Amino acid sequence: MDASYKITFTFFDSIFVVLFLGLLFYAGWWANKKQHGDEDQFFVAGGEMGFWTNMATHMATQIGAGDTIAAAGLGFTMGFGGWSYTIALAIAFILFIFFLVKPVRKLKMYTIGDILLARYGRIMKIIAGIILPTMFITSIAGQLVGSGLLLNMFGINLKTGMIIGAVIALAYTITGGLWAVALTDLIQWVVMLIGTVGILVPVCIKDAGGFSNIVNTLPPEYFKITTYGGWELAGLIFSIVLAYGIGTDVYQRIWAAKSDKVAKQAILGSSILFVVFGFCGIFVGMAAKVIYPNITPESALPLLISEHLPSGIRGLVLISLAGAVLSTIDSMIHSGATVITIDFLEGIGVKLGEGNRLKAARISTIVLTVSGVIFAMALQNVYSLLLWGYTIAACGIAIPVLGGMLWKRATKEGAIASCILGSIAGILWQLLAQESVLPVELFGGGVALITFIAVSLLTKAPSQEQIDSIFIKD
């Protein structure tokens, strides 16, 4: 058995797929009708989002192609050791609740560029408007590769699968904005819950001879969660915190929640779901190791779906996996378009009225999606490019954003120096210290943090007006 193994697809499977797509497009249509051309509705859902929708869109955005398709392969190869990422994701998200939800909610903005503008001035907003879209483009490209690989399991050409994923996600995102993204995320989350947790995992456990047989068959190291060393685990959590620090999608969902309580509860609920879904993907791979010990890791998921699920149910599980990929693509398209419109175009001085701002955002969704497709098709290693874009953004921008909200003494000079030296440090560490146990995020982020504090203390303190723009009194 090899990675080219294909899943048999029947008419009954197609029924589930058609119904699923119909629900997604209906959600986009409904969201478009709801917003009535209101940019606040398009960018942050008017601040009206309830708990279930907010939790679902947080969770669905973070669980993307890598977590759904590759998790089974990780479980097949290393067991619970592959679960560490989603556990670290949950820990970082919970830290976000305690330190940042309240100050972020007070700001009532649209992007982190708005935060940088208020705290440090226009230069940092422009820097964010240049760096972050490149990260979104490569993120979209990486997720499109995931959609292509997923559809390739069913005999669809890889590039055709990428285009299909792009067109579907773009169609409802461009019309309905964050409401469309969030509602489709909710639909996709329900389908993921039914297809993965409710069907695939129980079937795999049963066909592997039960939980006890899996435990008795696999070696003990498959059941060790702490396969990372101390530095690696610290770097993993720190890197995710930095990722949230530049996560426009995270901030938008916090602003979209209808209250502080809903924002906090939604993040807590999604953190629990990270761990649950991470476990499911890993355990499916472990079951595959018991049932088919001699296959390649890449074959684990398609083989289990094809050989152990009946016709019709296969279609439901397929759309649960497709939903995970689409829910990340649509969020990257929407958040990236928001950054281009508000941080880059308005940052360089383009005057956009309310109507034109919405038009610019929709045009930006098309530009981002097309760019993501081109990158996904043209580059042999999209994930390598994604890593570079992420390194520059996380090591360069995250510390000024987080520090600006948590430390009143932060200055513009400290932010600019931190951005430059943190990015350089991250790039050099990536090039010269690939074998080091010290993760690039820990090194580059550490340099950025030290620089940020030192330069801020050595330069003139910010004005009271700058401080009050972020540190809003209760």
Side-chain angles (χ1 to χ4, degrees), residues 260-454:
D260 291 359
K261 182 179 179 181
V262 167
K264 292 179 179 180
Q265 290 178 341
I267 289 180
L268 180 60
S270 60
S271 300
I272 296 171
L273 289 172
F274 293 158
V275 177
V276 172
F277 276 93
F279 172 84
C280 290
I282 295 298
F283 206 75
V284 164
M286 294 170 68
K289 183 70 174 179
V290 173
I291 302 170
Y292 302 107
N294 298 319
I295 63 172
T296 60
E298 295 83 3
S299 298
L301 188 60
L303 183 56
L304 287 171
I305 293 173
S306 182
E307 298 299 325
H308 296 263
L309 297 177
S311 175
I313 299 300
R314 279 196 297 267
L316 183 61
V317 173
L318 165 66
I319 60 177
S320 74
L321 298 174
V325 179
L326 287 172
S327 63
T328 303
I329 295 174
D330 60 24
S331 296
M332 296 300 103
I333 293 173
H334 177 265
S335 296
T338 305
V339 169
I340 290 176
T341 303
I342 297 175
D343 293 343
F344 178 68
L345 292 178
E346 294 188 348
I348 62 175
V350 177
K351 303 296 183 182
L352 297 172
E354 184 169 333
N356 289 330
R357 184 187 257 190
L358 202 52
K359 290 178 183 177
R362 284 177 167 149
I363 293 171
S364 297
T365 63
I366 298 173
V367 172
L368 276 167
T369 306
V370 172
S371 300
V373 171
I374 292 172
F375 271 69
M377 290 188 174
L379 299 174
Q380 299 212 342
N381 195 341
V382 173
Y383 291 103
S384 176
L385 182 62
L386 172 60
L387 185 60
W388 282 106
Y390 165 75
T391 297
I392 295 172
C395 296
I397 297 179
I399 293 299
V401 173
L402 298 173
M405 289 188 290
L406 297 173
W407 188 36
K408 293 185 179 182
R409 188 60 179 78
T411 67
K412 178 179 71 174
E413 294 80 7
I416 294 173
S418 172
C419 182
I420 294 171
L421 293 183
S423 296
I424 292 173
I427 292 170
L428 291 177
W429 197 255
Q430 193 88 318
L431 288 171
L432 304 176
Q434 295 182 5
E435 301 300 320
S436 173
V437 296
L438 186 66
V440 62
E441 299 86 2
L442 204 57
F443 180 76
V447 170
L449 179 61
I450 293 170
T451 303
F452 180 70
I453 294 172

Side-chain angles (χ1 to χ4, degrees), residues 23-41:
L23 279 173
L24 297 187
F25 292 133
Y26 175 77
W29 173 84
W30 181 89
N32 184 51
K33 298 287 286 185
K34 177 179 175 60
Q35 67 187 16
H36 297 297
D38 184 347
E39 67 175 41
D40 198 53
Q41 292 284 344

Side-chain angles (χ1 to χ4, degrees), residues 13-137:
D13 298 316
S14 302
I15 293 176
F16 280 107
V17 174
V18 171
L19 290 173
F20 175 67
L21 293 177
L23 279 173
L24 297 187
F25 292 133
Y26 175 77
W29 173 84
W30 181 89
N32 184 51
K33 298 287 286 185
K34 177 179 175 60
Q35 67 187 16
H36 297 297
D38 184 347
E39 67 175 41
D40 198 53
Q41 292 284 344
F42 186 89
F43 291 124
V44 292
E48 301 171 356
M49 202 175 289
F51 166 73
W52 290 104
T53 307
N54 200 252
M55 179 185 69
T57 192
H58 270 303
M59 192 282 299
T61 297
Q62 303 302 325
I63 304 296
D67 300 278
T68 53
I69 298 172
L74 283 174
F76 186 93
T77 304
M78 58 189 300
F80 283 152
W83 197 19
S84 300
Y85 173 77
T86 49
I87 293 175
L89 193 70
I91 292 172
F93 225 25
I94 291 171
L95 289 174
F96 209 95
I97 296 174
F98 287 105
F99 293 106
L100 287 172
V101 166
K102 189 174 181 179
V104 168
R105 287 277 302 172
K106 287 181 178 180
L107 298 176
K108 299 186 184 301
M109 296 175 175
Y110 288 151
T111 70
I112 61 174
D114 285 340
I115 298 173
L116 293 169
L117 173 65
R119 193 71 172 89
Y120 308 116
R122 188 169 297 277
I123 182 64
M124 285 300 296
K125 181 182 178 79
I126 295 173
I127 291 173
I130 294 172
I131 293 177
L132 292 180
T134 61
M135 186 184 71
F136 282 118
I137 289 171

